[in-house]
Amino acid sequence: MSLAFLIFLVAWVLGMIGTFVPAVPATIIIFAGTVAATLLDGFQVWPDLPFLLTFAVVTFLISMVDNVASAWGARKYGGSKQAVWGALIGGLVGIFIPFGLIVGPLAGALIAELFIVRKPVPEAIRAAWGTLVGLLTGLVAKLVLHLLIGIYELWRLWEPAKSIFGSQ
């Protein structure tokens, strides 16, 4: 196991854990681990530069998944922009409570719909549910993408002959 492999592995594990915490930029952590590993592995303009540029674009697109999925869920179920913001804030608050990843966004969207937008209870519940469905869809999409990127990068860096432990 090379040092580059180990550095990326640590960044990837932190990023995978961070995928479930709304305030942690998990995709950026994984990208930073890729850049560090590529530099440690002996950066070469070809093929490393095209790989890193492609991965930078993929990183940007993955970071947009949450926003797009939340907006989709909110619109599909009649939620407002305030519900999306409520869900995001609820997700941040939810970090500190058990099952907060689910309860926080749902409660945040519901509170926003009831008290800011002033929708009737049935409409507010439907909108909050849609926002939650969108957030969870985005979370699953990010998790799958982070998993695929990690597997690819670990495979790319795997060279048992360059072990940091000196054995082959």
Side-chain angles (χ1 to χ4, degrees), residues 37-133:
T38 301
L39 293 174
L40 281 171
D41 202 37
F43 176 82
Q44 297 174 12
V45 173
W46 183 261
D48 293 334
L49 185 59
F51 168 74
L52 289 176
L53 290 174
T54 301
F55 192 35
V57 170
V58 169
T59 298
F60 174 76
L61 294 174
I62 291 173
S63 345
M64 296 293 110
V65 165
D66 280 341
N67 298 331
V68 170
S70 296
W72 168 81
R75 283 193 185 100
K76 182 159 176 66
Y77 289 85
S80 64
K81 289 180 185 176
Q82 293 87 343
V84 174
W85 279 105
L88 291 172
I89 293 167
L92 291 173
V93 172
I95 293 171
F96 305 105
I97 60 173
F99 304 106
L101 183 63
I102 294 170
V103 175
L106 184 62
L110 184 61
I111 289 167
E113 289 290 346
L114 287 172
F115 298 109
I116 296 172
V117 181
R118 299 192 186 279
K119 284 189 176 176
V121 173
E123 286 181 36
I125 290 172
R126 179 174 163 78
W129 174 253
T131 304
L132 178 65
V133 166

Side-chain angles (χ1 to χ4, degrees), residues 12 19 35-36 38 48 67 73 93 104 112 128 134 151 156 165 168:
W12 182 55
T19 301
V35 171
T38 301
D48 293 334
N67 298 331
V93 172
I151 290 169
R156 188 176 84 87
F165 301 110
Q168 293 185 6

Side-chain angles (χ1 to χ4, degrees), residues 4 6 20 27-32 42 46 49 55 75 77 81 87 91 93 104 119 122 141 147-148 154 158 163:
L6 191 59
F20 298 99
T27 309
I28 293 172
I29 291 170
I30 294 171
F31 178 68
W46 183 261
L49 185 59
F55 192 35
R75 283 193 185 100
Y77 289 85
K81 289 180 185 176
V93 172
K119 284 189 176 176
L147 183 64
L148 292 173
L154 291 172
W158 180 252
S163 173

